[in-house]
Amino acid sequence: MTSTTGATGTAGAACPHCGWPDHAEPFQVVSRHVTAAGSTVWTRCGCGSLQVRAVDAWGTRIVSRSRPAGVPAAGGR
């Protein structure tokens, strides 16, 4: 998975691939996992981007996301 975010959360307020708002309901919840601080929710955006959402006392934020399946990386890799 290629991350497009920093260590503190999303770089923007929407999916950089399709524009779906980050605060909106995810297209599909893939899995949920309880952590010491709250939970981690793996979701898939409508465009196919896999996202990792951290849910804790400070709210929900996307901490990592991949590009959609089938989209080549920058530089053709």
Side-chain angles (χ1 to χ4, degrees):
M1 174 166 50
T2 303
S3 176
T4 58
T5 64
T8 59
T10 57
C15 176
H17 308 291
C18 70
W20 186 262
D22 286 344
H23 64 275
E25 288 294 317
F27 179 74
Q28 176 184 28
V29 174
V30 177
S31 66
R32 297 177 191 271
H33 306 277
V34 176
T35 65
S39 64
T40 300
V41 182
W42 288 76
T43 64
R44 188 165 306 279
C45 185
C47 68
S49 172
L50 188 63
Q51 305 168 351
V52 180
R53 297 175 183 234
V55 181
D56 54 26
W58 295 278
T60 302
R61 63 196 179 284
I62 296 175
V63 295
S64 185
R65 81 172 91 220
S66 71
R67 62 184 171 271
V71 175
R77 293 184 214 166

